[in-house]
Amino acid sequence: MTFPWLTTLIVVPALGAVLTALVPRGLEVTAKKLALFIALVTAVLTVIATVAFVRNGEPVQFVEQYAWVESFGVYWALGADGISISLIALTGVITPIVLTAMWREAEAERRNPKPFFALVLLLESMLIGAFAAKDVLLFYILFEAMLVPMYFLIGLYGGPQRRYAAVKFLLYNLLGGLIMLAAVIGLYVQAATQGRGTFLLADLVALDIPQSTQWWLFLGFMFAFAIKAPLWPFHTWLPDAAAEATPANAAYLSGVMDKVGTFGMIALALPLFPAAARDFAPAIVVLAVISILYGALLAIGQTDMKRLIAYTSISHFGLIVLGIFALNSQGAAGATLYMVNHGLATVALFVIIGFMIVRRGSRFVADYGGAAQPAPVLAGSLLFAGLAALGLPGLAPFVSEFLVLVGTYSRYRLAGVLATVGIILAALYILLLYQRTMTGPARESTAGFPDLRRRERLIVAPLVALLLALGFFPKPLLDVIGEGVQPVLAEVDVGDPEPLVPAAEGTVP
Amino acid sequence: MSPTPYLVLASILFTIGGTGVLLRRNALVAFMSVELMLNACNLAFVAFARMHGDIDGQVAAFFVMVVAAAEVVVGLAIIVTIFRTRRSASVDDASLLKL
Amino acid sequence: MTLGEIGEQTVSTAGGVFSAAWLLIVFPLIGAAALLLGSRRLDRAYGVLGCMAPLASFVVAAALFVAMLGREPEQRAISVPLYDLFAVGDYQVGVGLLVDQLSIAFSLLITGVGSLIHVYSIGYMAHDENRQRFFGYLNLFVAAMLLLVLADDYLVLYVGWEGVGLASYLLIGFWQHKDSAAVAAKKAFVVNRVGDFGMSLAVMSMVVVFGTTAFAGVFPAAADASEGWLIAIGLLLLLGACGKSAQFPLQSWLLDAMEGPTPVSALIHAATMVTAGVYLVVRSAAIYAGAEPAQTAVVVVGTITALMGAIIGCAKDDIKKALAGSTMSQIGYMMLAAGLGPAGYAFAIFHLLTHGFFKAELFLGAGSVMHGMNDEVDMRRYGGLRTVMRTTYVTFAAGYLAIIGIPPFAGFFSKDSIIEAAFANNFVAGLGALVGAGITGFYMTRVMLMTFFGERRWAPDAHPHESPSVMTVPLWILAGLSLVGGAALLYVGGGIVQWLEPVTGEEHVELGIPVWAMTLVILAVVLVGVAVAWQIFGRQPLPVTAPAGSPVTVAARRDLYGDAVNEAVFMRPGQYLTRSLVYVDNRGVDGAVVGTASAVGQFSSRLRRWQTGFVRSYALSMLAGAAVVVIAMLLVRLP
């Protein structure tokens, strides 16, 4: 019996959430410190687990399986493949950053910070659980349950329209989840008619589901994932939620939590319904391309910085989905890597914009200008995060973006070309944001801008380091991810397109 | 034995009770009508139990009595509370829970 | 060990000094990191710190060059693999350097001229409070540019390609408190991104066609690829090159880029970065070899830009913009040559190197003038400076003679070679190049006359003075290179054509007329241009405010309406599109969502009417329900 890594990674933050919530009133600082400590412990544990995973080299590791409701074939089944472990690591690393970013923000708005810290820890536990789940019902339960803490996070902390945004978020995602529940039950029925009723992913993947049934079940799953991811035209909840939530929470929402949607596509929808995935891939590719261009164009047209970043996320989620449904190694591996990289870049952007909002008290671009003069480090950080988001080569998102585009282009030429137009638009929305907020003559509104403080530098530094490291040395992570996507692609069984002209003999391999 | 007379009586009692619930506004009377309906059911239960020579029906009747007693306790308490605050025992006045 | 073939020679690995080639890139990278991330206290030693890295790289480059000279001509391409970037499916990318005749020539130019410009900047930027950051960016640029030219894989090249774009963005916008600088920087980046769109697609197409982006994999296989793909890749690479090298139709950013400090204009927007497009075309010789239409496109783009740039240069009163127009034009010449295939590749690189010398010289000279004139850039406010700024005048004149192509200055050799090669291959391109040479003579004479001759039209508070020696020494060195660089490159040790031959191949097309006659014709055309300029600008006093001018002048002042076209075709429709999309998203897409929600809400409030709150009506409905159930059960049992 090996050490139950994944259960530990789920239990530690969950326990931490309970402990944080139990800290009595008046000791808010202790609660925050406790929560941050737990988050750091979890982060260290995820990093150790990831390193252990990489060193071991097996494609699927840390497998745990205990019967939960045996008569219905429900299991507490966990396991990590290359896709899961990289997203678990992302969650583990981002959580303490988000907590640190929230350190003083709640008090500034005269709200009790304790629930925020407890809820984020609870959310972290659920996210890790969802990424590790190898039982479809367990995944579904966590997929739905994580809406609750996020609902409170948006509804309790945020802008004037936060209630509206929170309700919209909850209802929209619940609707998706409900339809997915029907598909989950349908899947169980399929399993029951073909032998033993079970929710175990491995058993369900082995089923031979008739084509038309696959179509319906696939659409049920995809609907939920497309809302969560979010894919055009199911995206409208994200700009509202991200704009109204506090920046730290918006970062967690679009940086980490929404990845469950794209994770579900690649880790569940594809292997469970390979035939339907093949049939629907062209349609989804169309939606993804629309997302990319539409999100980018809308980002250019925004006046609210947080909405702007939310729309860039929609554009980037389009790229992730595009890579997944290119159904080849480059696309799938690139998309999975993009999930990690987009997490880092978006969290950086949201957090830095949060720093600006704290200083100026406004989230509108027009209220800034010339801030680079008094606050060069802040400006530099914003530019760095922006350049990462626009896919500058040398920074992490570039490799993933390029792989996604290569994967798409090798199968769908036109979609590849159109998606590549996105890189021009990306430059526009990021540089316009930077130009309007940071450059130009010093203005009264930004005259007293203090530069980044020590805590803020501590938040930005690891993100910058990770974005650089993954930009220049993506190989270790990409190898793990590549291993992880291979079984999925084998299940879909489309194969990579062969190069038209094989490389000449005797060249560098 | 023939259960028919008992069932006829039970039906009559049930109908009287049902009419009472539907037509009377006084909460106490409505409650008594509900009790009447329950007792009509009890009568049917006991009659059938006797007919089949089986004790199940009597057990069911006991259950009904227990539940009825509990219900009366809660219901009367609510009615008394409403009466205290609103000086009325009419069921039509207590329609505040609708939106 | 033989690793494959690039061009017409084999690529091998070699130990010794070659295995240290990565130091070339690492030195400026360390310099950039130290200056950008280090404490503000480093500012006191900014000059030494800033110049150390490019000088160290120059030493490495020189050592590599010497070591390369010691090898057989066929053995001079050396591959230096560094590490694996990634491997996904069958597509693998390794970071490695390809040190060959072409890349070493570039490395020497970048680090050599780069070092001189760094030294010059010590004086030029001495009073800027952000000079530490300035040198950090310059070092970053040198590192990225070296990565660009040394990469042995198109994807890694692309990393350097964007790296120099970033450095260019940062340096154009260095004085970002000026709105114009910030806007120009953004414009440069975005226009370059349009080029990058082509570049990305070219690289992606290579993956599709060849399954690899390594030079060693692509070039040998290129001959087997279909012509359609090769043309597509060639045109896409050309689009990338147009963006970076400010060629038509992506030329509009270069003139605005002059918002950056002058050393930046000299290093990035004249000597090195903007020539990256030429490098790309020459490096991709194997692809263009099978794609004749793409080559023709390169020639057309080059010829158009050579003329456009020259015409724009004629009308600008801003000395840096006049020189920027000239840069566009000269790079047009290089492109033209590169489009001629093996017959022109070597000449393109030859002109690129000499242009690196004399254009850096001209820009630094202009910087020196601005330094002495309170950062005045309007040439109508100059005049008669030759007496007060002797050194600047003499060195600028060397650059002037070199660019218009007066023997024995550098430009004479390189430009003549290109015009001759153009005539030999394509009469129209040759004619365009010849006319361009005449216009070059005109506008450069104009710059010279307006700046250094004539009466003094200085602003009242101007007190022109010569620059400090830290600025004039680089000027002297570059002036020397402008004088002897051309002849030296062409003739010493077999010359550059023979040196590059293993990379670019060689092909000589005989000219219809003798070479000396051609040379005389070119010289005559240039002298006509000079004479016309003398007639207009040298013989009568110049008004301080610009006259209205002919329609051609007005068009040239407005960059031949490049910006106007961009604005009308892309910007305004784009703004309209984003605005209407924002509306559609709020009202249409989100409207559908909110509409559905409110429809559900309204339906619920209808349903709510059933909840009257009257207990007796509930009881009635229960009774009715019970009755229905009973009736249903009876009905079912009936038959």
Side-chain angles (χ1 to χ4, degrees):
Chain A
M1 179 74 204
T2 52
F3 184 70
W5 275 108
L6 295 172
T7 304
T8 313
L9 284 175
I10 296 169
V11 169
V12 169
L15 268 182
V18 174
L19 288 178
T20 309
L22 288 178
V23 174
R25 228 167 216 295
L27 292 172
E28 272 76 21
V29 178
T30 320
K32 290 197 291 187
K33 282 183 179 158
L34 175 70
L36 183 60
F37 174 72
I38 302 277
L40 283 171
V41 168
T42 317
V44 171
L45 285 174
T46 54
V47 171
I48 295 174
T50 313
V51 171
F53 183 95
V54 174
R55 296 188 64 171
N56 185 310
E58 293 286 316
V60 180
Q61 298 175 37
F62 310 142
V63 178
E64 297 171 42
Q65 186 171 324
Y66 309 100
W68 187 6
V69 187
E70 198 145 29
S71 50
F72 285 111
V74 185
Y75 294 85
W76 177 261
L78 303 174
D81 55 17
I83 305 173
S84 313
I85 198 75
S86 42
L87 288 170
I88 289 172
L90 173 75
T91 314
V93 172
I94 292 296
T95 309
I97 291 175
V98 166
L99 290 184
T100 323
M102 193 62 186
W103 202 252
R104 299 246 165 77
E105 266 64 341
E107 283 92 331
E109 293 170 20
R110 305 231 175 114
R111 296 206 180 92
N112 184 1
K114 200 174 73 177
F116 184 95
F117 283 74
L119 286 169
V120 167
L121 282 180
L122 182 63
L123 200 51
E124 180 184 21
S125 157
M126 289 171 174
L127 281 164
I128 294 178
F131 290 137
K134 291 290 170 207
D135 180 286
V136 176
L137 192 69
L138 177 62
F139 175 85
Y140 170 76
I141 289 168
L142 292 167
F143 184 83
E144 288 288 78
M146 69 177 73
L147 298 178
V148 178
M150 187 45 91
Y151 168 76
F152 284 110
L153 283 172
I154 299 172
L156 287 177
Y157 306 87
Q161 295 275 311
R162 59 179 187 271
R163 298 241 168 87
Y164 168 77
V167 170
K168 192 173 184 180
F169 160 81
L170 186 69
L171 287 183
Y172 214 144
N173 280 282
L174 272 181
L175 174 69
L178 214 60
I179 289 173
M180 179 176 159
L181 176 63
V184 169
I185 294 169
L187 200 55
Y188 177 81
V189 172
Q190 278 293 326
T193 48
Q194 291 189 25
R196 198 176 70 90
T198 174
F199 286 104
L200 266 186
L201 185 60
D203 294 352
L204 293 174
V205 169
L207 290 180
D208 188 20
I209 308 173
Q211 180 115 350
S212 59
T213 319
Q214 274 204 31
W215 280 26
W216 289 111
L217 296 180
F218 176 78
L219 286 180
F221 274 79
M222 274 306 290
F223 186 66
F225 296 149
I227 288 176
K228 188 79 132 229
L231 194 64
W232 187 88
F234 308 114
H235 63 275
T236 53
W237 62 268
L238 181 64
D240 282 330
E244 295 302 328
T246 50
N249 187 26
Y252 209 58
L253 172 65
S254 60
V256 185
M257 187 175 152
D258 286 352
K259 299 298 180 303
V260 183
T262 45
F263 170 81
M265 289 182 200
I266 192 165
L268 277 95
L270 286 193
L272 282 172
F273 318 109
R278 282 193 299 269
D279 296 340
F280 280 103
I284 294 171
V285 163
V286 169
L287 288 185
V289 170
I290 293 176
S291 280
I292 295 168
L293 299 178
Y294 187 87
L297 283 170
L298 276 161
I300 295 171
Q302 295 305 312
T303 52
D304 172 336
M305 295 192 291
K306 286 199 282 182
R307 284 185 86 87
L308 191 156
I309 306 303
Y311 277 109
T312 69
S313 285
I314 291 167
S315 182
H316 292 153
F317 274 113
L319 275 166
I320 297 174
V321 175
L322 188 66
I324 293 172
F325 283 91
L327 301 179
N328 56 29
S329 311
Q330 283 90 28
T336 311
L337 183 64
Y338 210 151
M339 293 186 212
V340 177
N341 292 338
H342 171 258
L344 297 173
T346 301
V347 168
L349 270 176
F350 266 124
V351 165
I352 291 165
I353 279 173
F355 298 158
M356 292 164 65
I357 293 173
V358 166
R359 283 164 171 71
R360 179 72 180 80
S362 161
R363 54 181 215 232
F364 292 99
V365 176
D367 291 333
Y368 295 81
Q373 294 274 73
V377 181
L378 176 65
S381 310
L382 178 68
L383 185 63
F384 186 92
L387 290 172
L390 67 80
L392 189 84
L395 301 181
F398 166 70
V399 176
S400 40
E401 188 176 287
F402 180 76
L403 283 172
V404 165
L405 292 175
V406 163
T408 311
Y409 185 70
S410 60
R411 184 148 287 143
Y412 305 102
R413 302 261 190 276
L414 182 63
V417 173
L418 288 175
T420 311
V421 174
I423 72 168
I424 303 173
L425 300 175
L428 263 176
Y429 58 67
I430 292 293
L431 296 183
L432 274 173
L433 171 70
Y434 180 77
Q435 182 202 324
R436 289 176 182 160
T437 55
M438 290 300 176
T439 67
R443 296 210 303 190
E444 225 171 275
S445 55
T446 51
F449 249 48
D451 210 342
L452 287 194
R453 301 184 179 89
R454 204 164 57 94
R455 170 178 69 98
E456 294 167 333
R457 286 178 199 221
L458 271 179
I459 297 167
V460 174
L463 292 170
V464 168
L466 278 171
L467 284 169
L468 270 175
L470 286 177
F472 281 99
F473 307 102
K475 191 171 172 22
L477 183 59
L478 206 43
D479 282 349
V480 170
I481 288 172
E483 283 272 293
V485 299
Q486 274 323 311
V488 174
L489 292 171
E491 202 64 47
V492 180
D493 195 26
V494 181
D496 292 354
E498 287 290 314
L500 302 174
V501 179
E505 296 279 320
T507 51
V508 190
Chain B
M1 72 169 257
S2 157
T4 318
Y6 300 96
L7 293 182
V8 171
L9 179 58
S11 313
I12 293 171
L13 284 176
F14 191 88
T15 314
I16 294 173
T19 323
V21 170
L22 289 180
L23 297 183
R24 299 300 298 262
R25 291 184 189 184
N26 189 302
L28 286 173
V29 179
F31 243 98
M32 277 157 44
S33 306
V34 170
E35 290 299 315
L36 204 55
M37 289 163 79
L38 289 173
N39 282 329
C41 296
N42 278 350
L43 181 60
F45 270 126
V46 175
F48 281 120
R50 178 93 175 105
M51 187 185 102
H52 291 294
D54 188 351
I55 203 151
D56 285 359
Q58 301 199 16
V59 173
F62 271 108
F63 268 105
V64 172
M65 277 187 231
V66 172
V67 172
E71 179 209 318
V72 166
V73 170
V74 177
L76 275 180
I78 293 172
I79 291 168
V80 169
T81 320
I82 291 177
F83 186 76
R84 271 195 197 148
T85 53
R86 306 181 63 86
R87 291 276 138 208
S88 154
S90 166
V91 286
D92 287 0
D93 287 347
S95 62
L96 295 174
L97 270 179
K98 69 166 185 183
L99 272 165
Chain C
M1 188 176 84
T2 306
L3 287 171
E5 293 171 6
I6 284 181
E8 297 174 3
Q9 63 183 343
T10 51
V11 180
S12 51
T13 51
V17 64
F18 290 104
S19 54
W22 53 276
L23 284 173
L24 262 177
I25 299 170
V26 167
F27 280 137
L29 211 52
I30 294 173
L35 286 164
L36 292 177
L37 303 177
S39 92
R40 295 283 286 178
R41 268 169 298 178
L42 293 178
D43 187 54
R44 261 176 289 168
Y46 73 99
V48 179
L49 281 171
C51 298
M52 215 159 55
L55 281 169
S57 287
F58 180 68
V59 171
V60 177
L64 288 174
F65 179 63
V66 171
M68 197 181 276
L69 280 176
R71 295 168 74 91
E72 290 297 310
E74 310 75 55
Q75 298 289 321
R76 282 177 181 160
I78 290 125
S79 160
V80 187
L82 297 179
Y83 67 92
D84 288 341
L85 191 62
F86 60 76
V88 177
D90 296 329
Y91 177 43
Q92 305 173 358
V93 175
V95 177
L97 306 181
L98 172 66
V99 185
D100 69 355
Q101 294 90 333
L102 182 59
S103 58
I104 201 70
F106 261 92
S107 303
L108 285 171
L109 176 75
I110 295 159
T111 55
V113 174
S115 297
L116 290 174
I117 293 172
H118 274 77
V119 172
Y120 175 93
S121 305
I122 296 178
Y124 192 84
M125 299 299 284
H127 305 299
D128 196 295
E129 59 174 12
N130 289 319
R131 56 199 185 183
Q132 183 183 348
R133 194 149 51 89
F134 179 80
F135 277 91
Y137 291 162
L138 273 190
N139 278 352
L140 179 68
F141 167 76
V142 171
M145 189 72 202
L146 286 168
L147 180 65
L148 195 169
V149 296
L150 286 165
D152 69 349
D153 187 298
Y154 275 102
L155 191 67
V156 183
L157 183 152
Y158 186 48
V159 175
W161 187 264
E162 286 284 285
V164 294
L166 169 67
S168 160
Y169 169 79
L170 293 170
L171 284 164
I172 295 171
F174 183 71
W175 288 316
Q176 51 182 249
H177 52 86
K178 288 199 295 183
D179 270 329
S180 55
V183 172
K186 183 199 67 193
K187 182 176 177 186
F189 198 96
V190 171
V191 175
N192 265 295
R193 274 254 142 171
V194 178
D196 295 344
F197 166 75
M199 186 79 181
S200 303
L201 281 177
V203 178
M204 279 148 59
S205 301
M206 287 176 200
V207 180
V208 170
V209 179
F210 305 111
T212 174
T213 48
F215 292 167
V218 171
F219 295 154
D224 302 330
S226 72
E227 199 192 359
W229 272 111
L230 289 180
I231 292 171
I233 295 176
L235 289 176
L236 290 167
L237 285 175
L238 175 64
L239 182 60
C242 283
K244 191 94 342 185
S245 294
Q247 298 293 292
F248 179 80
L250 300 180
Q251 80 287 3
S252 64
W253 63 270
L254 183 63
L255 290 155
D256 295 359
M258 295 299 125
E259 288 289 342
T262 310
V264 174
S265 312
L267 178 60
I268 301 185
H269 305 118
T272 54
M273 184 192 86
V274 284
T275 57
V278 180
Y279 169 79
L280 184 69
V281 173
V282 174
R283 182 54 94 191
S284 310
I287 288 168
Y288 284 100
E292 207 170 315
Q295 275 190 320
T296 313
V298 175
V299 173
V300 170
V301 164
T303 314
I304 292 177
T305 318
L307 289 171
M308 263 184 90
I311 293 170
I312 291 173
C314 292
K316 292 286 180 189
D317 289 332
D318 178 328
I319 185 168
K320 285 180 71 182
K321 294 205 171 176
L323 290 176
S326 147
T327 305
M328 263 171 71
S329 166
Q330 298 300 315
I331 298 169
Y333 275 102
M334 299 171 209
M335 275 291 182
L336 195 170
L340 298 176
Y345 288 140
F347 297 134
I349 300 299
F350 180 28
H351 193 54
L352 194 158
L353 296 175
T354 58
H355 174 258
F357 302 148
F358 62 69
K359 190 50 72 60
E361 161 63 43
L362 288 172
F363 263 112
L364 293 187
S368 175
V369 170
M370 288 161 59
H371 195 68
M373 295 286 284
N374 290 345
D375 287 330
E376 178 66 71
V377 290
D378 187 355
M379 291 191 290
R380 292 184 185 275
R381 285 289 181 183
Y382 293 167
L385 287 173
R386 84 181 169 281
T387 46
V388 278
M389 304 177 84
R390 271 310 315 158
T391 309
T392 307
Y393 165 62
V394 172
T395 52
F396 196 90
Y400 160 72
L401 294 170
I403 192 172
I404 64 173
I406 302 295
F409 287 88
F412 166 73
F413 299 99
S414 53
K415 199 191 283 180
D416 268 21
S417 316
I418 290 180
I419 298 174
E420 280 159 22
F423 266 114
N425 288 273
N426 182 329
F427 183 77
V428 180
L431 200 63
L434 185 61
V435 173
I439 307 178
T440 308
F442 174 81
Y443 69 74
M444 281 313 301
T445 311
R446 176 175 174 270
V447 169
M448 196 72 193
L449 290 173
M450 286 175 85
T451 307
F452 292 104
F453 294 86
E455 78 280 25
R456 301 177 169 183
R457 302 177 300 272
W458 307 341
D461 56 342
H463 305 288
H465 54 86
E466 189 51 90
S467 302
S469 57
V470 72
M471 287 165 71
T472 50
V473 170
L475 286 178
W476 281 117
I477 298 175
L478 285 168
L481 286 169
S482 306
L483 176 59
V484 301
L489 281 171
L490 195 58
Y491 298 119
V492 172
I496 187 160
V497 177
Q498 196 189 327
W499 170 257
L500 288 175
E501 195 265 338
V503 185
T504 59
E506 200 191 0
E507 179 186 303
H508 193 68
V509 183
E510 278 306 317
L511 206 55
I513 54 173
V515 173
W516 59 265
M518 191 71 227
T519 305
L520 283 182
V521 171
I522 297 170
L523 265 178
V525 171
V526 168
L527 288 175
V528 167
V530 172
V532 172
W534 168 252
Q535 186 67 27
I536 300 176
F537 299 100
R539 305 199 25 174
Q540 60 230 26
L542 208 65
V544 173
T545 46
S550 66
V552 181
T553 318
V554 173
R557 278 195 195 125
R558 298 194 55 192
D559 307 346
L560 298 178
Y561 301 112
D563 283 341
V565 169
N566 285 346
E567 197 175 309
V569 178
F570 299 108
M571 231 175 83
R572 295 210 178 281
Q575 282 173 342
Y576 182 75
L577 180 67
T578 51
R579 250 183 253 134
S580 45
L581 272 182
V582 169
Y583 184 81
V584 166
D585 197 54
N586 285 339
R587 295 295 158 85
V589 182
D590 198 35
V593 175
V594 176
T596 313
S598 69
V600 171
Q602 274 173 10
F603 182 62
S604 316
S605 54
R606 288 278 157 75
L607 276 184
R608 211 176 63 191
R609 303 254 167 93
W610 292 72
Q611 306 295 312
T612 53
F614 297 120
V615 175
R616 289 179 303 135
S617 67
Y618 298 161
L620 183 62
S621 60
M622 277 166 70
L623 189 71
V628 168
V629 170
V630 169
I631 291 167
M633 285 172 74
L634 287 176
L635 282 179
V636 171
R637 274 183 61 186
L638 269 183

